[in-house]
């Protein structure tokens, strides 16, 4: 074995801090989250929109995934998890140095100081694997947040404007939420619980997407009136990748292979399954038909709702959260949306404000009610962390969850507005009407489906009395 490079020696001595099991799971969890975005949401978006927008919608997701990676390792990782600059922001610097990436992982700003004191109550998080693993894991979380925002903007946002929006929003919005809630910022120090992204990812995506949709403007009127999925089976494929990928999303939250990771994965599936069933039942009761797209929406609201509390609530609480996740967002989307002037005015293409904004808020508040003190102590020992259901000081936790949510909502509405106005001063946010009329072919010169011959696009045009002939799109009928 002496002649074999160390990198290929599975039994070679490892650093004392390296736990190969933790490292293997964390890399796997990160990859599962990455698969939720690409191909998961790429396929889901490509299938759930009208056929003429399939390519553009999928490409918005693909571009965001790539762009976030470059921004993340160049400056955004340390703004989210590095040394503190101000109480809501870390210091910007690259995460590219070899010594930084192969050394033991450390999140320097995660030391928790109780009641503003100078002595740490909980030491800074130092997972038992290389820093590169943490950078990877957190990058795919940042990427999926931008892709979720895209769901509000499908079918009319200029692709060039989207190319500018992604790095700007990541820099001035996502990093603020991530540092404030997870990276040692003021909400983290105050004790706000967001186990794995109900606030940092879903609440921010829901309200940022809704705000951006307001500034971009609505789709073409005929697209708003009728926007059928072009491929429901593709949509279900993407949904399946989302659901299964959530094992990495929430299972990777503790930064280790431990009992909290196991508990969070079970809770995730309990809540999601119950939410899907409740949503489907409500569709049957009120509309007479079970909707596949409705079931997917119920699945998503369940996944989102459990996320802020997945590792800190008991199984029965996950069941309760599933019932509420399948009913409250259903009500806001199917009933309230039709009655609210604001909700009807803003064209949120996929209803992200409901499936992620409302569900993320609901999950965060329910965590403030149902967080189990024993599980809280296993996840992150912080004095008095428990839900109001358990009495004592639990009521204060609900208040913290509410204030944390209001900060995330307010920051995202304000900053997203500034970003959209700034971009619109350089390039139009919205596609011109002639492109809105045509769709993918006008925007990208490509279409999702080639249904004839060797891939040519064909039209069916009428010839003679009752006869149909097939002619290429570019050739006028005889």
């Amino acid at each position: 074995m002496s002649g074999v490079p160390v990198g290929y020696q599975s039994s070679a001595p490892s650093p004392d801090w390296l736990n190969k099991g933790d490292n293997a799971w964390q890399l796997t969890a990160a990859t599962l989250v990455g698969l939720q975005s690409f191909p998961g949401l790429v396929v889901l978006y490509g299938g759930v929109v009208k056929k003429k927008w399939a390519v553009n919608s999928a490409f918005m997701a693909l571009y965001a995934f790539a762009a976030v990676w470059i921004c993340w390792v160049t400056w955004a990782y340390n703004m989210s998890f590095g040394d503190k600059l101000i109480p809501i922001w870390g210091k910007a610097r690259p995460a590219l140095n070899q010594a930084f990436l192969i050394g033991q992982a450390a999140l320097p700003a995660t030391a928790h100081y109780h009641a503003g004191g100078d002595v740490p109550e909980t030491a800074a998080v130092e997972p038992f694997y290389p820093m590169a693993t943490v950078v990877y894991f957190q990058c795919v979380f940042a990427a999926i947040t931008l892709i979720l925002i895209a769901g509000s903007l499908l079918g009319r946002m200029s692709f060039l404007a989207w190319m500018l929006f992604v790095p700007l929003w990541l820099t001035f919005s996502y990093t603020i939420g991530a540092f404030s809630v997870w990276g040692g910022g003021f909400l983290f120090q105050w004790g706000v619980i967001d186990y794995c992204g109900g606030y940092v990812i879903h609440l921010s995506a829901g309200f940022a997407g809704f705000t951006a949709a307001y500034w971009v403007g609505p789709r073409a009127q005929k697209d708003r009136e009728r926007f059928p999925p072009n491929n429901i089976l593709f949509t279900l494929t993407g949904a399946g990748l989302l659901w299964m990928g959530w094992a990495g999303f929430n299972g990777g939250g503790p930064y280790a292979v431990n009992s909290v990771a196991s508990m969070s994965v079970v809770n995730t599936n309990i809540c999601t399954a119950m939410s899907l069933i409740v949503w489907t039942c409500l569709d049957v009761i009120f509309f007479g038909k079970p909707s596949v797209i409705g079931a997917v929406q119920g699945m998503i609201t369940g996944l989102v709702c459990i996320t802020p509390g997945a590792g800190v609530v008991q199984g029965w609480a996950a069941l309760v959260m599933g019932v509420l996740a399948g009913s409250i967002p259903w009500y806001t989307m199917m009933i309230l949306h039709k009655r609210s002037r604001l909700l009807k005015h803003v064209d949120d293409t996929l209803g992200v404000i409901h499936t992620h904004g409302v569900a993320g808020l609901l999950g965060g508040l329910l965590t403030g009610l149902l967080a189990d003190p024993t599980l809280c102590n296993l996840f992150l020992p912080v004095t008095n962390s428990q839900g109001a259901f358990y009495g004592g000081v639990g009521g204060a936790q609900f208040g913290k969850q509410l204030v944390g949510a209001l900060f995330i909502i307010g920051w995202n509405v304000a900053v997203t507005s500034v970003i959209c106005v700034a971009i619109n001063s350089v390039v139009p946010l919205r596609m011109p009407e002639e492109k809105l009329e045509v769709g993918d072919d006008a925007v990208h010169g490509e279409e999702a489906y080639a249904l004839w011959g060797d891939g040519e696009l064909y039209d069916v045009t009428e010839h003679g009395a009752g006869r149909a002939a097939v002619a290429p799109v570019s050739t006028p009928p005889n």
Side-chain angles (χ1 to χ4, degrees):
M1 290 291 292
S2 59
V4 179
V6 172
Y8 291 92
Q9 297 177 20
S10 60
S11 60
S14 300
D16 292 338
W17 48 261
L18 179 63
N19 183 305
K20 292 184 178 180
D22 283 349
N23 193 34
W25 168 240
Q26 210 66 29
L27 289 170
T28 302
T31 302
L32 287 170
V33 178
L35 288 170
Q36 289 181 298
S37 293
F38 184 48
L41 285 170
V42 170
V43 172
L44 192 153
Y45 285 0
V48 80
V49 297
K50 207 170 187 176
K51 184 175 70 172
K52 72 174 185 177
W53 291 117
V55 171
N56 181 259
S57 300
F59 196 11
M60 285 180 71
L62 176 59
Y63 167 79
F65 189 77
V68 167
W69 257 108
I70 302 305
C71 300
W72 193 247
V73 297
T74 307
W75 68 80
Y77 171 77
N78 278 297
M79 294 176 74
S80 304
F81 294 96
D83 296 314
K84 183 172 77 172
L85 176 64
I86 56 177
I88 61 172
W89 229 355
K91 296 178 181 178
R93 57 172 62 118
L96 293 166
N97 182 271
Q98 171 185 319
F100 174 77
L101 291 173
I102 67 172
Q104 183 179 4
L107 305 179
T110 55
H112 187 273
Y113 298 86
H114 180 55
D118 296 328
V119 179
E121 177 185 20
T122 305
V125 176
E126 293 185 336
F128 299 119
Y129 39 75
M131 199 71 186
T133 302
V134 177
V135 173
Y136 176 29
F137 182 71
Q138 288 298 341
C139 179
V140 289
F141 276 78
I144 200 170
T145 310
L146 266 301
I147 295 172
L148 293 174
I149 292 174
S152 296
L153 308 170
L154 302 180
R156 83 281 200 180
M157 188 175 191
S158 159
F159 199 86
L160 180 56
W162 177 242
M163 291 177 71
L164 297 174
F165 181 90
V166 170
L168 289 171
W169 191 88
L170 176 72
T171 303
F172 295 104
S173 188
Y174 184 84
T175 59
I176 296 292
F179 189 85
S180 297
V181 179
W182 285 342
F186 79 106
L187 292 176
F188 175 87
Q189 297 299 337
W190 196 33
V192 172
I193 299 174
D194 183 8
Y195 172 78
C196 219
Y199 283 1
V200 175
I201 296 170
H202 301 291
L203 187 63
S204 62
F207 280 86
F210 188 79
T211 303
Y214 168 81
W215 289 105
V216 173
R219 287 165 289 172
Q221 187 59 35
K222 67 178 184 179
D223 281 354
R224 288 199 74 178
E225 293 171 353
R226 178 165 171 74
F227 204 69
N230 73 85
N231 195 319
I232 288 181
L233 294 182
F234 270 21
T235 302
L236 286 173
T237 301
L241 287 165
L242 273 184
W243 189 340
M244 294 300 99
W246 228 277
F249 201 107
N250 287 342
Y255 289 116
V257 180
N258 56 26
S259 57
V260 177
S262 300
M263 185 73 179
S264 68
V265 171
V266 171
N267 280 340
T268 297
N269 283 276
I270 291 172
C271 182
T272 303
M274 178 55 72
S275 180
L276 185 154
I277 291 169
V278 169
W279 192 295
T280 301
C281 289
L282 289 172
D283 276 349
V284 172
I285 292 168
F286 286 91
F287 303 120
K289 293 181 180 179
S291 165
V292 174
I293 298 300
V296 171
Q297 290 165 334
M299 179 205 81
I300 292 172
T301 57
L303 292 167
V304 171
C305 183
I306 193 61
T307 293
V312 297
V313 301
Q314 296 189 46
W316 64 263
L319 204 63
V320 171
M321 293 173 77
V323 172
L324 296 174
S327 54
I328 293 178
W330 179 91
Y331 172 78
T332 65
M333 177 180 281
M334 309 307 295
I335 307 298
L336 182 63
H337 190 103
K338 299 173 183 177
R339 299 175 180 175
S340 168
R341 182 175 299 179
L342 174 63
L343 292 174
K344 286 193 296 184
H345 174 72
V346 178
D347 183 17
D348 181 354
T349 307
L350 300 185
V352 179
I353 186 65
H354 303 288
T355 55
H356 295 273
V358 173
L361 175 61
L362 177 65
L365 296 180
L366 288 173
T367 299
L369 294 175
L370 301 173
D372 181 277
T374 301
L375 293 172
C376 286
N377 192 58
L378 287 175
F379 175 56
L380 183 64
V382 175
T383 301
N384 298 331
S385 289
Q386 64 184 59
F389 177 82
Y390 294 92
V393 296
Q397 188 65 51
F398 182 82
K400 293 176 182 180
Q401 299 299 110
L402 178 59
V403 173
L406 293 175
F407 172 78
I408 294 294
I409 292 169
W411 185 269
N412 276 279
V413 170
V415 172
T416 303
S417 295
V418 171
I419 289 171
C420 287
V421 171
I423 292 173
N424 200 47
S425 68
V426 179
V427 297
L429 284 170
R430 179 182 167 86
M431 295 180 195
E433 293 301 321
E434 57 270 22
K435 289 187 177 181
L436 292 176
E437 178 68 25
V438 176
D440 289 337
D441 190 38
V443 179
H444 303 289
E446 299 164 318
E447 294 190 17
Y449 304 108
L451 303 176
W452 299 94
D454 294 322
E456 301 92 340
L457 295 172
Y458 283 85
D459 262 341
V460 176
T461 57
E462 292 188 3
H463 292 258
R467 293 185 301 149
V470 178
V473 168
S474 58
T475 303
N478 294 329

